[in-house]
Amino acid sequence: MAKQLIECVPNFSEGRDMGIIKQITDEIESVEGVKLLDVDPGKATNRTVVTFVGEPEPVIEAAFLAVKKAKELIDMSKHHGEHPRFGATDVCPLVPVSNITMEETVEYAHKLAKRIGEELQYPVYCYEFAAKDEKRRNLAYVRSGEYEALPAKLEKEEWKPDYGPAKFVPETGATAVSARNFLVAYNINLNTTSTRRANSIAFDVREAGRVKREGNPITGKIVLDENGNKVRIPGTLKKVKAIGWYIEEYGIAQISMNLTDITVTPVHIAFDEVVKSATKRGIRVTGSELVGLIPLQAMLDAGKYFLRKQQRSTGVSEKELIKIAVKSMGLDDLKPFNPKEKIIEYILAEDEHKPLINMTLADFADETASESPAPGGGSISAYMGTLGVSLGTMVANLSSHKRGWDERWEEFSDWAEKGQYYKDALLNMVDEDTNAFNKIMDAFGLPKSTEQEKEARKQAIQEATKYAIEVPFKVMKLCYESMEVIKAMAEIGNPNSVTDAGVGALAARSGVMGAFLNVKINCAGLDDKDFVNKILKEGNEIQEKAIALENEILNIVNGKI
């Protein structure tokens, strides 16, 4: 199962003494499973923005330790800076990155806020998606009056904190904890040096738009409403802040954007909207740049968006989708775009070890043929399944691009996407099966000198054995389910590639049967016979259905050749 990832972006009210910041970030890095991504201090603001990411539980543990250290080291009674602030840890937002919903992220935000309030004994407010009170959704409202207003505010019922005591702690102030969507800082490059023209494009697209004027849109009298407020003409993009500026380093003007919620306006939509506005004004977009990091899904969505515009199949590899996104938005216009340095999940993936699927075909074969017991039949079964559905996916992509079948590109694109899903899932199981085998070996290697050690070892062996059954059983299911794609391509795909679908069926069926052999041999070592009987019954059913489906597919193939 794919990892749930959240990002945490605490802002600490210290931007001049890097010794203090280093002590805080050391606390973050002390937590296993958390990766520190960025530390951005500001002297004028006297504030440091720290960014780290990981699975939810380690992230909130690291966040708590950082907040606790900030309470020890930062004295708000002596703090001065240009940025609005009301606490040593001023804000601490959690951001869903992948495989986690906003609702789940809100729960973690409340868990963190509660722990800060109760264990560190000072006021904590929740804002944005984590707000318990609608009025507190807006951070500016929560932080109104800043640190100096806290003593008076905390005496009022309406300002009772969400967690922690309603008491003023002079050294610490208060902290605001939130869950918010991912913010992307994104600049779009123009073939002009005019800041004024860049600003005009920015005003066209940003949510705040521009001030309405009578007559001449630039020099005309500003229109006011009945309350004397300026009337604005909204821009075309929601959740977007933008200005135009000139960059001396590159000698061009840019649209500098903050996409404050990429679930509302993703990068590819922002890019295309700027292209439309710029074109109307006789200006050309030459590319763009990402400032900071971006979630993988945002890049995949962009790749699919531009492929759909070309009426091409979106069922291509992750690598190809990213390449299309980079080239379509010109993300490598000003400097090379390295996905391993810009995509959050790829930065974290450097810590993961997937030795088998990173091998060459020759090395994989050599390793399999060696005296090492792994990779064994389970990993090979997963790889056979991977190759089987890859062939079915290839037929789908060839069919999507077949001359004369242009009106059917989307139909085959959908099949190719489904095939890519099974390909990626089965590829991950190649190493997972070997990991499962290694867990059994590790369990057998545990000490057994005392009765307590013997019991712990026995329990570990049973747990590892169960996992070593579940992994190949999942491979069985994935291989069988992937045959739906292969059958469809044998029936309706490019007839010139029908034999590829046939070979895919042979490989997928072999994946099912091979994985079932591993299920059965590992079942012999498990004491939980109810679990064993259930798995073997379901396994037999899947194997029978896979063999029957293989025969169906081969009959279709042979009927066409």
Side-chain angles (χ1 to χ4, degrees), residues 260-297:
T260 60
D261 189 341
I262 57 172
T263 66
V264 176
T265 297
V267 284
H268 53 272
I269 296 299
F271 178 84
D272 256 11
E273 199 63 27
V274 169
V275 169
K276 283 183 205 169
S277 173
T279 303
K280 285 178 190 173
R281 295 175 178 276
I283 292 170
R284 193 170 75 84
V285 168
T286 61
S288 62
E289 65 170 342
L290 277 169
V291 182
L293 306 175
I294 192 166
L296 173 62
Q297 193 60 49

Side-chain angles (χ1 to χ4, degrees), residues 533-545:
N533 292 335
K534 180 174 178 291
I535 284 284
L536 292 177
K537 181 174 181 294
E538 287 182 35
N540 272 310
E541 290 169 0
I542 292 170
Q543 180 171 263
E544 287 171 13
K545 287 192 284 189

Side-chain angles (χ1 to χ4, degrees), residues 131-188:
K132 293 187 167 189
D133 181 334
E134 191 59 33
K135 285 190 292 189
R136 293 184 181 178
R137 281 185 78 91
N138 189 322
L139 175 61
Y141 174 80
V142 171
R143 202 165 51 189
S144 59
E146 298 186 46
Y147 168 81
E148 288 74 15
L150 276 174
K153 280 169 71 173
L154 286 164
E155 291 180 2
K156 298 174 184 175
E157 182 61 30
E158 66 190 275
W159 284 105
K160 182 181 176 185
D162 293 303
Y163 297 100
K167 73 175 183 182
F168 179 56
V169 182
E171 295 79 14
T172 311
T175 293
V177 174
S178 78
R180 64 161 171 81
N181 274 310
F182 200 91
L183 182 149
V184 171
Y186 182 53
N187 300 332
I188 299 181

